[in-house]
Amino acid sequence: MFVYLDNSATTRPYREVISEMVKYMETDFGNPSSLHRMGITAEKAVKEARRSVAASLGVKEEEIYFTSGGTEADNMALFGAVQARKRRGNKIIASCIEHPAVLESCRRLEETGFRVEYIPVDRSGIIDMQALESALDDQTILISIMQVNNEVGSIQPIPEIIELKNKFCSAGRSEILFHTDAVQSYGKMPVQAGGTDLLSVSGHKIHGPKGVGALYIRKGLNVKPYLFGGGQERGMRSGTENVPAVAGFGIAAAISQRNMTERIESMRKVKNYLSEGIRWEISDIRENSREDGSPSIWNVSFFGVRGEVLLHTLEQSDIYVSTGSACSSNKRGQSHVLKAMGLADKEIEGAIRFSFSEFNTVEEMDYVLVRLKEAVQKLRKLGSFR
Amino acid sequence: MMEERNAFIVRCGEVALKGLNKPYFEKMLVDRIKRVLKKYEGVEIKRQEGLIFVRAPKELDPDLIAGEISRVFGVASVSPAVETESDLEKIGQAAVEYMRRLIEKKGVKTFKVDAKRADKNFPVKSPDIARQIGAKILIGCKVLKVDVHNPDCLLFVDVRKDKSYIFEQKISGFGGLPLGTNGKGLVLLSGGIDSPVAAWMMAKRGMLIEAVHFHSYPYTSERAREKVTELAGIVAGYCGRFKMHIINLLPIQEMIVQNCPEEETTILVRRFMMKIAEKVAQETGCCMLITGENLGQVASQTAEALVVTDQSVQMPVMRPLIAMDKVDIMEIAKNIGTYETSILPYEDCCTVFLPKHPVTKPKLAKILESESKLDVDQLVADAVASRETVAIYPVE
């Protein structure tokens, strides 16, 4: 049985997405900037997709800018926002469990003279609100805090953060922008961009294509571009639009809004079924995800087992999971998220992330439980000799 | 008039030193050059006066052809050349044209002619040839000046019986001996820096290569396997297509972990690898084993450990890197293009179940005692039987 449980890394594209993309490669392959009919057809596709993504976030079309993905959206938000505000202040606040797209951008900004304060999280992966409050000062120009963490699925208190920020700002101090990386929450819970200034989403995490994402920029906000050329995306992001991917993203965004409640319920049911099964069947574990976390992510550590070995053992049974996050499992380093949550080395070593989509079923979880139990027992037995 | 072609003068290194066997080595070398140039049409390869001459259609990029030839083991150097008739007037004309192209391409300002007449019946002596050709160039290319000490271009004129050659570059080859002149060896290819270099060095001495790779899936990942396949492909770029046998060592590692002292794990695994490789070698007509072992590099490569490893097999084990320094090995790896792939950080099976304090001075008697707890012959036979064999093709 093939069971794909790595949906936070990427998802299987919807059939409708694929056929839409084929159309814009096979027949309607025009460049939206061309003056002729072919160009107009392509331009319409991009417009339609923009409308669909805007609707999914409850914002206006002109507030959506297509990018090459979540990473570019995050980069564009951070670099673009601070460039336009560096005379007002030089401090950025981010959580220490952000995606590398945000963290590495912060590191780069630090090299160019900005100060970044990283807000710690508790053992369940929720940011410390008091630390955030005391971090706010009149030098602060930007806060970037993700909505759902990609490794453990913890949901950050975005409304509270916005309230805190607004209170601070209305006390007479200058404006602070708020950016949220919504890549992992988009499509897995209702996401409304209202209240934020900048918000990043990605296509391939919601059964759309890879290589496309979007940044919401609140209307009227001054954000500097950092790609220059033909002036596409109203000058914010030059470069010929990736029409097939953008069109596919539009379809995925539209589908994800239909029956969202049922979709989320189905993921939650599968997640709960698996987590309960594991609690019941396998001892010596630590759950790294909160009960009230994202319905699509469940992270757990199996003591005495190396996550990577367990991953490959499950792979032999055609079950696909992840250790920590797909981006960091290639590197030797430990997950920065689990580390920030204060986990011990042996807890981090055995961590596995199961991430779900609407395509997963309870029957699949029965199969996973059997194979998982066998694998953990076998690896622990072998490990016990060392 | 024959169609215009680029000529390449190929000089044989050690092959030229051979005595009575020289024709055999030369024939093998021609054969190898033919193989690498087989994919290009209209290439002609000839042995002539102790050299090898390659002629290729003008459309083929001479740098590309020269590059291909320079990678053939046994080639000392290769020069892309212009071929003319052995007539001073014609040579002079060709030299002028040649220099004009160089002026245009490289902005050459000064030159010197170095002439040689292989045909001693040619009426003009070498220094006079140089002088006369130099004079023609000075007349033909007004911008050029002669500089005998530090010329931008040292132009060689090689006058032979029927044809003469004009060239400026000598692209060094690797030397060595033509492949296939020295039997076949089985290399233990790990995916690290050393073993591809070891394979390459033996191949350079004319040995055909076959490889065995051990992994510990699922303790190692499929990426590690991709990595070793890629490395093998780079090595195949020098020694041609070869076979690689892929064997999962995990069943044996599991037995060792459960039955033998922890500190002996590594050395026991090494001995198993050798035993399995020996059996594979026997089955595939390889006469020796090749490893990338290097004295003192890691715990399993101390003098004592090497002795214990060596005694696990009857077959001779070649260790071409044994006395080299790591930096020198890395240098070769960079030169042959395996380094970048070798350093990719995927776990190989040597690091699985790595003991905390591996024994560095193992005693054979103790190791044999540990092995007696295992059904060695059966485990080796099972591993050999379980092998998967893949063909490795050169990567461009």
Side-chain angles (χ1 to χ4, degrees):
Chain A
M1 189 187 266
F2 165 85
V3 187
Y4 184 76
L5 290 175
D6 200 10
N7 290 285
S8 290
T10 195
T11 55
R12 183 209 299 178
Y14 293 124
R15 262 177 221 294
E16 297 90 324
V17 167
I18 297 167
S19 55
E20 183 82 352
M21 290 180 73
V22 168
K23 192 173 118 194
Y24 288 102
M25 285 191 274
E26 218 163 47
T27 49
D28 299 340
F29 55 83
N31 184 331
S33 300
S34 292
L35 296 178
H36 47 65
R37 197 187 309 138
M38 292 285 286
I40 297 170
T41 311
E43 191 187 2
K44 267 190 185 160
V46 174
K47 198 171 156 53
E48 186 53 43
R50 199 184 309 282
R51 186 178 303 150
S52 159
V53 172
S56 71
L57 295 170
V59 299
K60 300 188 194 77
E61 282 163 53
E62 62 265 33
E63 293 175 314
I64 296 297
Y65 297 84
F66 287 116
T67 66
S68 67
T71 293
E72 194 191 321
D74 285 344
N75 275 256
M76 193 168 163
L78 267 69
F79 286 94
V82 301
Q83 278 313 315
R85 278 157 192 81
K86 59 184 168 197
R87 246 174 275 143
R88 201 175 295 165
N90 73 340
K91 183 172 165 182
I92 300 161
I93 298 174
S95 85
C96 54
I97 59 164
E98 291 302 306
H99 188 273
V102 167
L103 284 182
E104 292 303 317
S105 294
C106 286
R107 305 251 145 82
R108 177 79 195 117
L109 286 167
E110 279 178 295
E111 284 168 23
T112 62
F114 288 93
R115 279 192 304 129
V116 183
E117 186 158 346
Y118 300 95
I119 305 300
V121 295
D122 64 15
R123 279 184 71 82
S124 72
I126 300 286
I127 64 152
D128 180 342
M129 287 298 280
Q130 264 171 352
L132 176 65
E133 191 169 2
S134 49
L136 288 170
D137 62 16
D138 55 6
Q139 281 298 301
T140 308
I141 50 177
L142 176 73
I143 303 172
S144 178
I145 290 175
M146 64 194 343
Q147 190 161 23
V148 165
N149 178 265
N150 53 311
E151 293 191 32
V152 297
S154 54
I155 302 173
Q156 303 307 320
I158 299 297
E160 287 84 342
I161 296 168
I162 293 173
E163 201 188 310
L164 186 72
K165 179 209 85 162
N166 287 342
K167 224 165 75 189
F168 183 83
C169 291
S170 65
R173 296 171 184 91
S174 59
E175 177 200 42
I176 299 174
L177 297 188
F178 179 68
H179 165 249
T180 189
D181 174 338
V183 168
Q184 291 293 344
S185 53
Y186 189 44
K188 324 279 175 184
M189 58 188 272
V191 175
Q192 291 295 305
T196 72
D197 300 295
L198 300 146
L199 181 141
S200 312
V201 291
S202 165
H204 72 112
K205 313 283 190 191
I206 59 160
H207 308 280
K210 292 167 189 66
V212 66
L215 179 66
Y216 154 79
I217 303 178
R218 182 170 54 76
K219 204 176 173 185
L221 204 63
N222 183 12
V223 174
K224 298 269 186 234
Y226 67 109
L227 279 181
F228 302 94
Q232 287 87 347
E233 298 297 297
R234 281 146 292 146
M236 273 308 294
R237 199 230 182 225
S238 285
T240 299
E241 296 87 342
N242 183 358
V243 179
V246 167
F249 183 19
I251 299 287
I255 295 176
S256 75
Q257 294 307 303
R258 273 184 243 145
N259 316 322
M260 190 190 251
T261 327
E262 285 101 274
R263 232 182 279 278
I264 291 170
E265 241 355 274
S266 140
M267 277 187 270
R268 192 181 300 284
K269 192 172 124 199
V270 170
K271 179 185 103 161
N272 290 344
Y273 190 86
L274 181 70
S275 57
E276 269 162 37
I278 290 174
R279 265 175 228 134
W280 187 254
E281 298 276 352
I282 303 173
S283 56
D284 295 322
I285 60 169
R286 181 195 193 275
E287 295 177 44
N288 305 320
S289 296
R290 293 164 60 99
E291 287 279 329
D292 63 359
S294 162
S296 67
I297 298 174
W298 195 63
N299 191 309
V300 58
S301 297
F302 299 94
F303 301 150
V305 173
R306 256 171 46 204
E308 205 178 312
V309 179
L310 183 54
L311 176 150
H312 291 308
T313 309
L314 291 173
E315 168 186 52
Q316 286 178 304
S317 303
D318 225 8
I319 298 167
Y320 301 89
V321 299
S322 161
T323 58
S325 95
C327 300
S328 64
S329 55
N330 272 350
K331 300 177 203 149
R332 285 245 161 129
Q334 294 177 326
S335 148
H336 71 282
V337 175
L338 299 178
K339 238 187 210 168
M341 286 164 58
L343 267 64
D345 284 356
K346 71 161 199 168
E347 292 171 320
I348 296 176
E349 197 178 80
I352 289 284
R353 178 186 70 182
F354 299 96
S355 52
F356 309 89
S357 83
E358 59 198 67
F359 294 128
N360 292 120
T361 63
V362 165
E363 289 71 35
E364 286 177 352
M365 297 311 113
D366 282 329
Y367 170 74
V368 171
L369 277 168
V370 172
R371 291 305 165 99
L372 181 66
K373 192 178 170 185
E374 279 171 13
V376 170
Q377 273 173 353
K378 186 176 157 231
L379 296 178
R380 276 180 178 164
K381 184 172 163 238
L382 216 48
S384 68
F385 292 95
R386 281 287 175 270
Chain B
M1 178 77 189
M2 212 179 67
E3 51 162 332
E4 269 206 89
R5 296 211 273 183
N6 288 320
F8 300 85
I9 305 170
V10 183
R11 298 171 199 86
C12 323
E14 254 182 84
V15 171
L17 303 177
K18 296 283 173 195
L20 286 177
N21 287 331
K22 191 173 159 185
Y24 164 72
F25 281 96
E26 279 184 353
K27 191 190 148 297
M28 291 297 276
L29 183 55
V30 167
D31 211 52
R32 279 291 148 183
I33 297 173
K34 273 186 183 153
R35 274 188 198 224
V36 300
L37 298 180
K38 202 170 60 187
K39 54 187 177 246
Y40 307 107
E41 254 176 70
V43 176
E44 182 195 280
I45 302 161
K46 253 202 208 146
R47 269 193 284 163
Q48 200 180 308
E49 301 169 60
L51 297 173
I52 294 170
F53 285 87
V54 175
R55 293 180 183 82
K58 270 264 182 303
E59 307 82 70
L60 290 173
D61 177 6
D63 291 342
L64 180 77
I65 301 290
E68 295 262 20
I69 296 170
S70 73
R71 288 159 68 97
V72 173
F73 295 136
V75 171
S77 70
V78 54
S79 296
V82 166
E83 191 177 55
T84 75
E85 277 167 51
S86 288
D87 169 279
L88 265 189
E89 203 51 47
K90 297 240 167 82
I91 298 170
Q93 271 173 23
V96 169
E97 276 173 42
Y98 191 90
M99 289 313 293
R100 281 187 183 149
R101 274 203 302 275
L102 277 187
I103 293 168
E104 200 179 306
K105 242 169 73 183
K106 295 185 186 167
V108 171
K109 291 198 179 70
T110 58
F111 77 104
K112 174 192 172 182
V113 178
D114 187 340
K116 219 172 71 186
R117 80 188 159 146
D119 174 17
K120 300 296 175 201
N121 291 324
F122 192 77
V124 187
K125 286 185 177 161
S126 299
D128 296 330
I129 299 174
R131 218 167 294 135
Q132 293 189 28
I133 301 294
K136 285 184 204 299
I137 293 172
L138 283 173
I139 296 166
C141 311
K142 298 281 184 231
V143 295
L144 287 182
K145 286 201 177 82
V146 172
D147 180 346
V148 290
H149 301 297
N150 199 10
D152 292 346
C153 165
L154 176 58
L155 188 73
F156 296 96
V157 176
D158 190 357
V159 179
R160 292 179 175 266
K161 206 161 155 215
D162 297 323
K163 302 279 180 189
S164 294
Y165 301 88
I166 298 165
F167 57 90
E168 53 138 1
Q169 279 178 297
K170 282 186 183 174
I171 301 164
S172 311
F174 293 115
L177 295 171
L179 275 170
T181 56
N182 259 320
K184 186 163 75 163
L186 182 72
V187 62
L188 282 77
L189 205 59
S190 68
I193 293 168
D194 300 341
S195 51
V197 173
W200 181 85
M201 285 176 75
M202 292 306 284
K204 186 160 86 78
R205 296 305 299 169
M207 180 167 263
L208 293 173
I209 296 294
E210 197 148 324
V212 59
H213 170 67
F214 296 102
H215 65 89
S216 309
Y217 185 79
Y219 278 74
T220 55
S221 96
E222 274 184 30
R223 279 202 171 86
R225 178 184 162 145
E226 289 300 308
K227 168 182 163 181
V228 88
T229 309
E230 203 179 310
L231 274 176
I234 299 170
V235 174
Y238 299 96
C239 61
R241 193 184 72 167
F242 64 85
K243 278 189 214 149
M244 182 162 75
H245 307 275
I246 299 173
I247 296 173
N248 192 342
L249 212 56
L250 188 59
I252 290 173
Q253 288 172 307
E254 287 177 352
M255 293 306 286
I256 293 173
V257 163
Q258 293 176 41
N259 296 292
C260 306
E262 176 184 350
E263 67 276 11
E264 290 174 6
T265 312
T266 313
I267 189 89
L268 287 166
V269 168
R270 291 295 299 178
R271 282 175 58 92
F272 268 102
M273 288 181 180
M274 300 299 270
K275 284 175 200 275
I276 294 164
E278 184 182 42
K279 283 270 182 302
V280 173
Q282 283 161 354
E283 283 185 26
T284 55
C286 296
C287 60
M288 47 182 72
L289 301 179
I290 304 167
T291 75
E293 283 162 314
N294 175 239
L295 187 61
Q297 191 179 102
V298 289
S300 64
Q301 296 177 17
T302 60
E304 292 83 353
L306 285 169
V307 168
V308 172
T309 306
D310 206 54
Q311 298 199 12
S312 58
V313 287
Q314 301 288 313
M315 196 175 260
V317 182
M318 298 295 122
R319 300 178 168 91
L321 314 184
I322 195 72
M324 287 174 73
D325 284 353
K326 189 76 187 183
V327 285
D328 298 327
I329 300 171
M330 282 158 62
E331 195 58 39
I332 298 179
K334 283 174 188 166
N335 267 335
I336 64 174
T338 53
Y339 184 77
E340 290 301 318
T341 308
S342 281
I343 57 171
L344 293 174
Y346 306 123
E347 202 132 336
D348 66 46
C349 62
C350 296
T351 58
V352 171
F353 303 118
L354 205 59
K356 281 193 191 73
H357 304 287
V359 49
T360 53
K361 291 184 169 49
K363 296 267 183 306
L364 186 61
K366 268 199 74 191
I367 298 295
L368 288 176
E369 193 197 313
S370 298
E371 271 178 12
S372 70
K373 293 173 193 149
L374 308 168
D375 187 350
V376 174
D377 292 344
Q378 190 60 48
L379 286 169
V380 169
D382 289 348
V384 171
S386 76
R387 75 178 187 266
E388 179 194 346
T389 305
V390 296
I392 301 293
Y393 293 92
V395 290
E396 294 303 321

